[in-house]
Structures are given as C-alpha cells and as structure tokens.
Amino acid sequence: MLKKDLKVILETYGCQMNISDSETIIAIIQTAGYRFTKNIMEASIILINTCSIRENAEKKIFSRLQYFQSFKKKGYKFIIGLLGCMAQRMKETLIKEYYVDLVVGPGSYLMLPTLIELAINGEKTINTNLSYDELYRTIVSLKSQKTNIFRFVPIMSGCNNFCSYCIVPYTRGKEKSRDLKNIINEIQILKKIGCKEITLLGQNVNSFFNKKDSIYFHNLLELIALMVPDIRIRFTTSHPKDMSDKTLEIIAKYDNICKHIHLPVQSGSSKILRAMNRKYTREWYLQLISSIRNIIPEISISTDLLCGFPSETELDHQKTISLMREIKFDSAFTFKYSERPGTYAAKYLSDNIPEIIKIKRLNEIVDLQLRTSLLRNKEHIGKTTEILIEGFSKRSKENLFGRTSQNKLVFFKKNDQQYIGNKIMIKIEKASATALFGKSLI
Ligand code: 5AD
Ligand code: SF4
C-alpha cells in the first residue's frame, strides 16, 4: 500500500509547546508521504500527542485511548501511537498494559516515519530518547502551521528547575536552547510570508542562552524586536527567578514587544514555595511585581496558582488569597495539586490535603480571580486601544475579535473577513471577567 493511502488522525492535548510540536509532527509525516484525516473510518494511524502535567489530563487521554480501542475491537484496522509527555513518562507500560502500538517521546519526532512503518509492520515500537537536537524544527515547522498570521517559534525546550510537584523536567529533559541562526532564519521567513504575531515558546524562555555568541534572552528579544518592527512579539513561559531587569527594560523599550507577562507564582506562602522548590519567597515575588510595574507601567500580568500542595494549611492558603488581593493579577490559570509519579513531592511528601479541601480552596481562588479580572478589565472601559484582529467570534459571525498588546480579548461588531490580521483601534465600551467589548474606529 502506498503511504498516501495511509491516513493519519492526530489529536493534540496540553500546552502551547504541544500544539507547536504537533505542527512539526504534521510536517514530518506529510513529508514522508502520509495524508491526514479526521474520519476514524478511513484512518490507518491514530496519533495522540499527550500531556502529563496533571492526573486529569492523563485520565482524559486514557478515556480517548479506550474509545479508539473500542473501534479496534469491532475490527477496524489501525495502529495507535502515543506521543509527547505521557509517552516519555510511561514508556513500555503503555505497550504492555495499555496495548498501544507506538510510543514516541518529544525528542524523537524526526524518526516518526520510520517508527510508524515499524509499527504498521506489526512491531511494538518505542523511542523515548531525549538527547536529540531540536534543530529539525526550523526545517519542517514552517510548512505546516495553519495560519501565517500567528505563529509559535520555539526558542528552547526542557527545564532544569525541578519544582517538586512538576513532571516536566522528566518528560522534556534538560534545558536546551535552539540555535540562534535557526531562530533568526525562521523569523525572517515568517516576516516574508506575512506573519503579524510571533510567540516565542519554551518551558523557561528566560533561560534561553546562546553560548557561542553570548546571547541571553533579553538580547534575543531585542534582536527580534529590531528585526521585525511590524510584528508583535509575545513569549511564554517565564520563571520569576529568571525575569531580569534587562528583559523588563527591553519589553518597555520596544512597542512591538507585547506588554504582557505570564509569571507563575503558584503560592503566596513562602513555606509552601520552599516546599515546592520555587527558589523565591512571597516577599521577593512581590518586589519583582513592583519592579515590573515601575519599569513597564502599562503591563498586564497573569499567573498560575496551585493549591492543595502537601502540608498547605488554611493559613498558607490565606496567604495565597492575600497575595492575589495585593497584586490583582489580570488573569490566572488555577489548579489543585495532583501527585505526579516520579516527582520529588510524590516520592517524599504525603498528598495529605483532602480532595474536598482542595476543591474548596480552588473555588475560593477562582472566585476571587474572576472578581479581580472583572475589575481589571473594567479599567479599560472608555479607553481606546489597538488590537490585532484574529478572527470571527465563535458565537456570532457578525463579530470579530482580537487581542490587545496586554493580551486582553476584545470583541467588536464587524463581519468582514478582510480585517483578519490587521491592527485597528477600538473604543472599549463593556467588560466581562474574560473579555472586553468595543466599537471599531474605522
Ligand atoms: N498538579 C497540579 N498542577 C500542576 N502544575 C504543574 N504540576 C502540577 C501538578 N502536579 C501547574 C503549575 C504550572 C502549570 C503549567 O501547571 O501551576 O505552572
Ligand atoms: Fe515545571 Fe517548575 Fe520547570 Fe515550570 S519551572 S516546567 S513548574 S519544573
């Protein structure tokens, strides 16, 4: 059978890095001659790009796996491959206990065509080698992304921080910065093909370092800002300990660097931060927020909050609440702790906060954040702000939406496709906790 007759379904779960990886995977597989489909009836290969960050993410993927396997039991002939973080974490177990045919970790995607062929020929196939250079991204990722307007550019991957709750250092391996030349080449091509917004991606973008030319993250940001003055630049994610004043000054200096920082704090209690191995205290983080706001007054700040970590008392939780009141984050991703096998916390700390308490604390955090986000968003009412238009609102084809430099979603009435990818000025009239609503001034 020709490869073009073998169709692939690819499903993606998890973070932006996984979405970006899937774009690379699509390009690799297409180059090898395979076609894609969404229809299970005509699929020969089902690939699931997985996430391990929380137990719930894995549960969802296991139920998806069961769903596909139920078709196999009915006689459908396809192979199932698990890619990404679960592949890296669970390795052979996925083959032995979950009857997966192909297991490929995030360092081995370049070998996918060969690995798929082995699996199709009936060999249970696994490759979770993390040592590969990620150079290949440049060669392939350019061909595959859905839109030319908004593009991810991976600049590093992996993490050396070993926060005690987190599986990422085990599934993504050590920090590796991408070659500077490849990043620059990719951005030059993006400029040519009409890209309007680039998000620099990495588990820890601020640790980017190019040894050969002694280029740090702030140097890279400046280089890109100067190279593509008409393209918006975003980056994610940053560890607070690596957010330098130099980086803040570069963000302040260039209009095309978006005025939004995602800065996961996790907890407001220094005792819990120490147990999490976050390498900063509550006071240090507060100080950092005040420097950020001094250097970039128009900045918006979002965060990640993680409650119910082992030994978190009500007092610790109230410290998180008071930190949130003090900082007033623009938005937050909120989580309750789930133990991840293999992490320091799973090995040495008891998951001793009852589920019901975790849920109660999470609800309190979510409630407060919704109220704060609403207040923050209401501050924009009456102001005029520039947005980059992303597309039609899912709810109504009469409305377009875009984002401000501060990463606020803005909806406005207009039903003209040709505006997508353009910047326009909007007068903000209304706000909810998650979005702004306004009138276009064109
Ligand atoms: N349980 C719950 N949330 C977690 N995160 C990371 N590991 C866990 C875990 N074991 C959250 C952190 C991190 C975000 C990406 O996911 O808040 O910043
Ligand atoms: Fe995980 Fe901490 Fe690394 Fe973020 S910095 S990926 S939370 S270990």
Side-chain angles (χ1 to χ4, degrees):
M1 198 184 253
L2 292 171
K3 278 186 191 152
K4 72 175 173 47
D5 298 323
L6 296 177
K7 294 200 176 143
V8 183
I9 288 181
L10 172 64
E11 290 193 354
T12 307
Y13 297 86
C15 61
Q16 285 167 319
M17 189 59 108
N18 265 13
I19 298 171
S20 164
D21 281 351
S22 280
E23 284 159 354
T24 306
I25 291 165
I26 290 172
I28 292 172
I29 295 179
Q30 262 170 357
T31 311
Y34 296 100
R35 297 265 179 85
F36 283 83
T37 178
K38 291 207 174 348
N39 183 355
I40 192 165
M41 310 290 175
E42 53 176 43
S44 305
I45 300 145
I46 293 178
L47 301 176
I48 313 178
N49 191 3
T50 62
C51 170
S52 273
I53 195 102
R54 280 169 290 279
E55 203 185 348
N56 272 347
E58 290 198 351
K59 275 191 187 149
K60 198 157 120 192
I61 289 156
F62 279 128
S63 79
R64 207 59 195 144
L65 194 56
Q66 268 180 355
Y67 168 79
F68 287 127
Q69 272 157 348
S70 71
F71 279 84
K72 262 189 149 176
K73 284 192 196 124
K74 284 185 217 147
Y76 285 82
K77 295 235 175 312
F78 49 71
I79 58 156
I80 303 181
L82 250 68
L83 318 179
C85 289
M86 271 172 86
Q88 196 65 33
R89 187 181 86 70
M90 298 182 69
K91 301 189 166 77
E92 294 77 12
T93 315
L94 289 169
I95 291 179
K96 289 189 193 135
E97 291 176 26
Y98 296 90
Y99 312 108
V100 168
D101 306 292
L102 171 70
V103 175
V104 186
S108 310
Y109 296 148
L110 200 54
M111 291 177 69
L112 264 171
T114 318
L115 300 171
I116 289 175
E117 216 160 305
L118 287 172
I120 286 174
N121 291 334
E123 253 181 72
K124 296 283 181 187
T125 307
I126 175 160
N127 194 317
T128 51
N129 188 343
L130 270 180
S131 66
Y132 281 114
D133 199 310
E134 305 221 352
L135 263 181
Y136 64 85
R137 287 182 189 281
T138 304
I139 314 163
V140 292
S141 75
L142 285 169
K143 294 189 201 160
S144 63
Q145 297 188 17
K146 282 194 197 97
T147 155
N148 282 348
I149 300 172
F150 303 92
R151 302 288 283 246
F152 293 127
V153 176
I155 59 166
M156 58 84 65
S157 69
C159 179
N160 295 347
N161 290 325
F162 290 92
C163 299
S164 58
Y165 51 81
C166 185
I167 195 75
V168 169
Y170 306 92
T171 59
R172 293 280 173 170
K174 287 206 194 84
E175 284 174 5
K176 298 166 284 275
S177 292
R178 228 178 120 191
D179 197 281
L180 182 65
K181 248 191 5 249
N182 289 311
I183 299 173
I184 300 296
N185 276 345
E186 183 163 336
I187 290 175
Q188 261 155 358
I189 297 172
L190 293 183
K191 182 178 168 181
K192 280 195 197 125
I193 62 174
C195 176
K196 300 286 168 59
E197 186 176 297
I198 288 169
T199 304
L200 305 176
L201 271 193
Q203 270 83 28
N204 253 308
V205 285
N206 300 61
S207 316
F208 172 88
F209 182 55
N210 174 286
K211 212 164 161 190
K212 204 167 96 230
D213 304 304
S214 223
I215 302 280
Y216 290 87
F217 180 62
H218 65 270
N219 304 122
L220 178 70
L221 255 188
E222 181 159 36
L223 226 117
I224 299 174
L226 286 167
M227 203 171 107
V228 288
D230 298 325
I231 298 183
R232 274 186 172 183
I233 301 158
R234 299 188 185 278
F235 56 87
T236 196
T237 290
S238 306
H239 191 296
K241 77 174 169 48
D242 301 317
M243 181 54 80
S244 68
D245 278 3
K246 283 185 178 144
T247 299
L248 297 174
E249 279 150 18
I250 298 295
I251 300 171
K253 185 169 168 189
Y254 294 95
D255 277 350
N256 58 331
I257 304 181
C258 288
K259 305 298 181 259
H260 167 237
I261 298 178
H262 184 68
L263 207 59
V265 63
Q266 314 297 358
S267 168
S269 153
S270 295
K271 179 195 103 188
I272 295 297
L273 288 170
R274 197 171 342 109
M276 288 176 164
N277 193 29
R278 289 292 289 175
K279 304 182 182 92
Y280 55 82
T281 60
R282 171 193 176 95
E283 291 68 33
W284 187 90
Y285 186 90
L286 284 169
Q287 184 52 49
L288 175 64
I289 296 291
S290 106
S291 322
I292 294 175
R293 288 182 171 155
N294 270 335
I295 300 173
I296 324 163
E298 71 272 44
I299 199 81
S300 78
I301 302 173
S302 57
T303 198
D304 290 350
L305 295 157
L306 171 50
C307 68
F309 188 76
S311 82
E312 184 189 68
T313 60
E314 183 57 29
L315 185 66
D316 293 317
H317 168 62
Q318 287 309 323
K319 288 186 175 162
T320 299
I321 295 287
S322 80
L323 178 106
M324 290 172 70
R325 289 214 170 96
E326 201 166 331
I327 295 176
K328 297 189 175 62
F329 292 108
D330 287 85
S331 65
F333 295 110
T334 51
F335 310 105
K336 61 182 166 62
Y337 174 69
S338 74
E339 193 173 84
R340 306 314 294 127
T343 57
Y344 180 92
K347 281 192 207 145
Y348 302 110
L349 307 174
S350 146
D351 184 6
N352 56 3
I353 309 300
E355 189 61 15
I356 187 160
I357 305 274
K358 285 185 186 171
I359 293 171
K360 180 186 143 292
R361 290 180 186 166
L362 182 64
N363 285 341
E364 230 180 292
I365 289 174
V366 170
D367 274 3
L368 175 57
Q369 187 53 50
L370 279 175
R371 277 181 279 134
T372 314
S373 297
L374 180 62
L375 282 180
R376 281 272 179 228
N377 285 349
K378 277 187 169 170
E379 288 167 7
H380 293 266
I381 295 177
K383 293 187 181 154
T384 298
T385 178
E386 186 185 70
I387 66 162
L388 175 60
I389 303 174
E390 294 192 11
F392 285 106
S393 152
K394 279 200 186 112
R395 289 207 193 138
S396 153
K397 284 269 178 246
E398 295 295 301
N399 293 329
L400 286 167
F401 76 97
R403 250 166 239 273
T404 67
S405 166
Q406 283 82 0
N407 207 31
K408 307 260 180 202
L409 263 180
V410 181
F411 292 89
F412 64 101
K413 222 178 177 62
K414 186 142 290 202
N415 62 2
D416 197 339
Q417 167 111 23
Q418 65 169 341
Y419 286 100
I420 297 171
N422 288 317
K423 285 185 194 146
I424 62 164
M425 297 306 287
I426 297 275
K427 173 124 193 231
I428 304 301
E429 297 173 326
K430 252 177 29 186
S432 75
T434 49
L436 305 174
F437 304 86
K439 202 163 70 189
S440 85
L441 299 183
I442 43 165

